[in-house]
Amino acid sequence: GVAENPMVKSVLDKTKYSMESVITTLDPGMVPYIRTGGELDIVVTSKKDVKVTAIRDAFQEVFGMAVVTGEAAQSNIAPQPVGYAAGLKGAQERIDSLRRTGVIHEKQPVVSVENFIEELLPDKWFDIGCLIIEDPVHGIHLEAFTQATPVPLQYVQQAKSLTPQDYSLRWSGLLVTVGEVLEKSVLNVNRTDWHLVFTGMSRRQMIYSAAKALAGMYKQQLPPRSV
């Protein structure tokens, strides 16, 4: 009962805040541990660090505290999705497959990320990440997109030429990803984060920015008591 006393509670809160400040100043890596908690529990449809840590940082920044964990999920479409519809479908498929297989509860709030390429201007291709949040309990379903990263035309053409005409998932995209082509063609490029070499901005930063907007929209739509 002592902790319920407003005076004591205020002292405890201040102590907790100053301890957090000291710990996070000494070791910024402790931030995710301190901020893991609260009512918000999000599953990311991937175990890839680039996605999970970016989304965790974004949601903890917006909500103060959040539990954010990753589960590997299949997209069930082509490895290199082409077009907004394919990107959205891939992200949604990852959520659906986790629910179908019972890896996550049907009421679990989920965030999913799928990168795709799109021809936004004639012969000018861009890589874009689609982010979805789905919260069945509150009936919330939101989308956000990362900034578009230019992909030189020759690499898109290579990925197309390496995909057989009769490829069964051709409707959704290509068999070979742009990242794979770039890794083979350009020195010191990694297929998972070629964005950094081409733009000076990492894929993680791009996902973080879009996830922060997604978290902000999500927070606005949640009923006050849930925040």
Side-chain angles (χ1 to χ4, degrees):
V2 177
E4 291 307 309
N5 178 309
M7 173 76 183
V8 175
K9 191 171 186 315
S10 170
V11 171
L12 288 175
D13 286 348
K14 281 178 183 162
T15 308
K16 179 172 174 286
Y17 175 75
S18 55
M19 276 304 294
E20 280 187 19
S21 301
V22 170
I23 292 168
T24 54
T25 304
L26 292 174
D27 182 5
M30 283 299 291
V31 172
Y33 299 100
I34 289 171
R35 289 186 167 183
T36 294
E39 289 178 31
L40 192 65
D41 178 10
I42 299 279
V43 169
V44 179
T45 64
S46 173
K47 280 192 177 289
K48 289 178 182 170
D49 194 53
V50 66
K51 295 180 179 178
V52 179
T53 58
I55 290 163
R56 180 184 293 136
D57 286 356
F59 274 78
Q60 289 180 346
E61 178 98 6
V62 171
F63 284 90
M65 293 186 89
V67 178
V68 181
T69 50
E71 292 289 350
Q74 296 300 313
S75 71
N76 302 316
I77 62 168
Q80 177 58 73
V82 177
Y84 279 88
L88 280 162
K89 184 163 179 59
Q92 187 63 50
E93 276 287 321
R94 289 181 192 276
I95 295 174
D96 296 345
S97 70
L98 287 183
R99 294 206 200 279
R100 252 195 325 268
T101 52
V103 174
I104 59 170
H105 194 272
E106 60 185 23
K107 293 179 177 177
Q108 172 69 49
V110 188
V111 174
S112 192
V113 183
E114 189 73 47
N115 274 63
F116 61 94
I117 56 171
E118 176 71 280
E119 190 178 15
L120 295 179
L121 299 162
D123 282 343
K124 293 203 171 182
W125 288 81
F126 294 81
D127 172 87
I128 302 162
C130 166
L131 283 76
I132 293 176
I133 186 164
E134 185 179 276
D135 178 348
V137 172
H138 297 102
I140 297 170
H141 193 288
L142 300 164
E143 299 89 14
F145 295 91
T146 66
Q147 67 185 62
T149 304
V151 184
L153 180 61
Q154 76 235 46
Y155 303 122
V156 176
Q157 287 171 335
Q158 273 186 56
K160 283 182 178 177
S161 67
L162 291 165
T163 302
Q165 284 298 328
D166 59 354
Y167 175 50
S168 62
L169 295 173
R170 185 94 197 204
W171 58 269
S172 62
L174 309 172
L175 177 60
V176 178
T177 68
V178 164
E180 288 173 277
V181 172
L182 288 168
E183 191 174 66
K184 289 192 176 78
S185 314
V186 185
L187 203 63
N188 299 325
V189 164
N190 184 307
R191 72 179 66 181
T192 57
D193 201 4
W194 53 268
H195 305 71
L196 186 60
V197 175
F198 275 68
T199 66
M201 191 171 179
S202 71
R203 186 174 175 218
R204 188 190 177 287
Q205 285 174 293
M206 294 181 195
I207 292 172
Y208 167 79
S209 296
K212 195 169 174 187
L214 194 72
M217 294 188 292
Y218 178 53
K219 189 175 185 179
Q220 285 179 2
Q221 293 208 13
L222 280 174
R225 61 185 169 75
S226 299
V227 176

